[in-house]
Structure formats: structure tokens, C-alpha cells
């Protein structure tokens, strides 16, 4: 369903970018799935972390566009982890395995929360150079489900899927957003009971971000003005937590702007990463910078014209 409706680019992406599977824990059932695309010479790539319902390929539009401009991009799918500390330890081992000292993280919803927790976890020996937080949150209590977090593991898959689908937009949406929702439903169907239960547990387990531990990290907050699973209060809390963050607002895009508003999302990602060009934390091949900067300028121009 997702392959046909979203774009023919998706089938091409699946046929050209190999999915790798990596085990870094003693428990060999914990498998990280990832797409690693772009120049391997880049030692500080951009890593994408998906939402509860997502798999690594939900960021295929970002992988195709950004690698075309010379960036190294990695999109991940998590193994089954039941608490934030366990996830952070596993993610650190994955970065060690990939021989990456520092990275830029783009996290969508739960992915954004986990990105912040990982930055917090490694604050004494920093592994995160910057954060792009898309439709994300800083405190799991906003979902009012902390009391049920410990019972998700008992629930059957159909019930867990129903919980996740309850956060998907149900009102009228434009065709691109409708296709994005169809695609995400398709991805959701591919997840097993333990994968879904563990992600919902991480999403709702009582926890919050400690901002003083990550105040030196450069942040871009990306959110939408139309309907999404994130409340206005949750958005305001993020702005308070990161008063110096850049803000990337999309007029529309719902829960999955990286699928249905990919051109705008990709532009904001480029603008965020532009500040690291010419440093050892650049996520782009230096030989591609001038052409890529031109693309950003063109994009900025068209975006400002649209807003006028």
C-alpha cells in the first residue's frame, strides 16, 4: 500500500540503498536496522530517529535528497528496548561500532525525545553535536499514560496498533498528507508486538529532559501549525526549554511532514547543517558545499516568496 501511494521514488530507494542489520548488544535478538548513505569520509553524519509507528525507511525522501547534495545520512530502526537508559547504552554502542565520535540527530516525535535523552546521557563525554527536533516533546507526562506504560508489554499487537492509530489525523487532509498517513499505517503494520509495546513504553514511561545537561547543543525545533498529535502546551514547553533554538515552522504537514512536506523539511535541515560547514563537524562532502549552498539560497528565496 505505502510503496504505491507515496511515490515511485520509494521503490527506487529500496532497490538502491541497502538495509543493514547490526547487533551491538550481548543479546543477539536486539538488531539495529539502518540505511547508511552518502560519503563514508564524513565522520559527523546526520542520523534520523523515527516515531513510534516508523521504520528506518520513513525518511527515504530525506535520504534521497540530502545524499544527492553530498551529505552522509543514516536512518535507523530501533531494536526492542524497554527503558531510556537501555536505549541510550545500545545507541552509544552502535555509534562506537560505526566509529562515529559525534553526530547530528534528527528525531521525529519519540525519536526526538530519545535524541534529547541520548544527548543528556552522554553530556559528560558528548556524542551529539546538534539536534533537529521534529514534532517532538521533552516530557512524557504530556500523554497522560505514564500509569499504563508498564502494561503495554501485556497487550496484543492489534490493541497497540489501535492506540497508535488514535493519534493519526482523522479529519480532512490534502492528498499528500493522506498518502503519508497511508504509508505510515503500512509501516505500522510491519512492526511486531514487542517492537510496538517497547516503543510505546519508551514514549510514555515517566521521564523528562534535563535541559542544563544539554544547553551547549545547537537545536532547531521543527513543528507544524496544523493538527498533529502534539498539543500546543507541549510545543510551548519545548520553546521554553530551548530559548535559543532556531525555529522551523511549517504551515501544514500534520504528524509526518518529512513525508508530505519533504521539500520544506529538507530545506530546514540544510539550513540547520549549514552552520557546521568548514568545520570537522560538517555532515557534507566539502567539494559539494558551493553547489549545495546555492540550492539552499534558491530554496530560501522560493520559501519567502510563498510566505508573501
Amino acid at each position: 500500500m505505502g510503496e504505491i501511494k507515496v511515490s515511485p521514488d520509494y521503490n527506487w530507494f529500496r532497490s538502491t540503498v541497502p538495509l543493514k542489520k547490526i547487533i551491538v548488544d550481548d543479546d543477539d535478538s536486539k538488531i539495529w536496522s539502518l540505511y547508511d548513505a552518502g560519503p563514508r569520509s564524513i565522520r559527523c553524519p546526520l542520523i534520523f530517529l523515527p516515531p513510534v509507528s516508523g521504520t528506518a525507511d520513513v525518511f527515504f525522501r530525506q535520504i534521497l535528497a540530502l545524499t544527492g547534495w553530498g551529505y552522509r545520512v543514516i536512518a535507523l530502526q530501533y531494536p526492542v528496548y524497554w527503558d531510556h537508559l537501555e536505549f541510550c547504552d545500545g545507541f552509544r554502542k552502535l555509534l562506537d561500532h560505526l566509529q562515529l565520535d559525534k553526530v547530528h540527530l534528527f528525531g521525529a516525535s519519540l525519536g526526538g525525545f530519545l535524541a534529547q535523552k541520548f544527548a543528556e546521557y552522554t553530556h559528560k563525554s558528548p556524542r551529539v553535536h546538534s539536534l533537529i527536533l521534529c514534532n517532538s516533546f521533552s516530557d512524557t507526562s504530556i500523554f497522560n499514560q505514564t500509569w499504563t506504560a508498564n502494561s503495554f508489554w501485556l497487550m496484543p499487537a492489534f490493541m497497540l496498533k489501535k492506540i497508535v492509530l488514535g493519534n493519526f489525523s482523522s479529519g480532512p487532509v490534502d492528498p499528500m498528507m493522506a498518502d503519508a498517513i497511508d504509508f505510515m499505517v503500512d509501516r505500522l503494520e510491519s512492526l511486531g508486538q514487542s517492537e510496538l509495546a517497547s516503543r510505546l513504553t519508551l514514549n510514555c514511561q515517566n521521564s523528562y529532559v534535563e535541559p542544563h545537561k544539554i544547553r551547549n547543543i545547537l537545536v532547531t525545533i521543527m513543528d507544524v501549525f496544523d493538527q498533529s498529535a502534539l498539543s500546543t502546551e507541549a510545543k510551548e514547553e519545548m520553546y521554553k526549554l530551548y530559548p535559543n533554538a532556531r525555529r522551523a515552522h511549517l504551515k501544514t504537514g500534520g504528524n509526518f511532514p518529512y513525508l508530505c512536506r519533504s521539500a520544506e523539511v529538507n530545506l530546514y535541515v540544510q539550513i540547520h547543517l549549514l552552520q557546521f560547514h568548514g568545520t570537522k563537524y560538517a555532515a557534507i562532502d566539502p567539494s559539494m558545499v558551493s553547489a549545495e549552498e546555492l540550492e539552499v539560497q534558491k530554496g530560501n528565496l522560493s520559501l519567502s516568496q510563498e510566505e508573501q
Side-chain angles (χ1 to χ4, degrees):
M1 176 170 63
E3 294 184 20
I4 299 165
K5 285 205 168 189
V6 169
S7 167
D9 289 346
Y10 178 67
N11 291 326
W12 186 80
F13 162 76
R14 290 294 297 268
S15 65
T16 55
V17 184
L19 179 68
K20 298 180 181 177
K21 294 185 181 288
I22 298 173
I23 297 169
V24 295
D25 290 284
D26 294 334
D27 179 354
D28 61 9
S29 70
K30 294 189 182 300
I31 302 170
W32 290 85
S33 302
L34 59 92
Y35 296 98
D36 186 350
R40 295 298 185 277
S41 57
I42 301 302
R43 306 311 306 155
C44 189
L46 175 62
I47 298 183
F48 286 85
L49 304 176
V52 169
S53 56
T55 47
D57 54 1
V58 303
F59 299 112
F60 78 93
R61 293 188 185 280
Q62 284 65 54
I63 297 170
L64 290 176
L66 292 168
T67 54
W69 290 317
Y71 287 96
R72 183 179 178 188
V73 177
I74 298 172
L76 296 178
Q77 187 168 324
Y78 325 115
V80 172
Y81 289 122
W82 295 98
D83 66 60
H84 302 116
L85 190 62
E86 187 187 24
F87 166 83
C88 290
D89 190 50
F91 189 34
R92 179 185 55 78
K93 289 176 185 173
L94 178 69
L95 294 186
D96 291 345
H97 175 87
L98 296 171
Q99 298 180 312
L100 300 172
D101 290 331
K102 290 193 91 174
V103 293
H104 306 282
L105 297 179
F106 178 113
S109 193
L110 169 64
F113 182 72
L114 294 175
Q116 293 170 86
K117 292 304 286 184
F118 182 70
E120 180 186 292
Y121 171 80
T122 57
H123 78 282
K124 288 183 179 174
S125 180
R127 304 298 294 270
V128 179
H129 196 64
S130 77
L131 292 167
I132 305 174
L133 305 172
C134 176
N135 281 348
S136 197
F137 53 92
S138 59
D139 188 337
T140 58
S141 66
I142 62 163
F143 299 109
N144 299 316
Q145 286 193 318
T146 51
W147 59 278
T148 59
N150 293 329
S151 60
F152 287 129
W153 68 278
L154 289 165
M155 297 181 187
F158 80 87
M159 194 179 290
L160 297 170
K161 286 172 184 173
K162 194 173 178 182
I163 292 169
V164 176
L165 287 169
N167 289 316
F168 283 23
S169 181
S170 55
V173 292
D174 67 47
M176 289 181 74
M177 288 174 69
D179 286 349
I181 293 167
D182 282 350
F183 183 78
M184 293 302 289
V185 170
D186 192 56
R187 299 297 84 209
L188 178 63
E189 288 297 326
S190 74
L191 298 173
Q193 190 276 345
S194 58
E195 288 174 298
L196 267 176
S198 63
R199 292 181 186 196
L200 280 166
T201 302
L202 293 175
N203 202 74
C204 300
Q205 204 170 55
N206 196 20
S207 183
Y208 58 88
V209 175
E210 298 176 62
H212 63 281
K213 290 183 178 177
I214 54 176
R215 62 175 175 265
N216 295 324
I217 294 174
L218 292 163
V219 177
T220 290
I221 296 172
M222 187 181 297
D223 53 23
V224 298
F225 285 147
D226 62 351
Q227 185 190 358
S228 75
L230 211 60
S231 66
T232 304
E233 292 75 26
K235 292 178 187 177
E236 293 298 332
E237 195 57 41
M238 289 290 284
Y239 302 151
K240 283 184 205 166
L241 200 64
Y242 301 107
N244 300 319
R246 294 182 175 195
R247 296 188 190 181
H249 299 304
L250 289 83
K251 288 181 183 175
T252 58
N255 289 316
F256 316 117
Y258 38 89
L259 279 169
C260 62
R261 300 291 184 269
S262 58
E264 289 173 74
V265 169
N266 295 346
L267 172 62
Y268 282 130
V269 168
Q270 285 177 279
I271 291 168
H272 174 89
L273 294 174
L274 205 57
Q275 60 194 311
F276 309 112
H277 289 186
T279 74
K280 65 178 179 178
Y281 302 115
I284 190 172
D285 179 347
S287 67
M288 300 286 282
V289 169
S290 57
E292 188 269 347
E293 282 179 347
L294 191 62
E295 289 289 333
V296 171
Q297 286 166 1
K298 283 182 189 170
N300 263 329
L301 185 63
S302 63
L303 201 65
S304 60
Q305 285 171 346
E306 281 173 24
E307 285 171 357
Q308 289 166 9

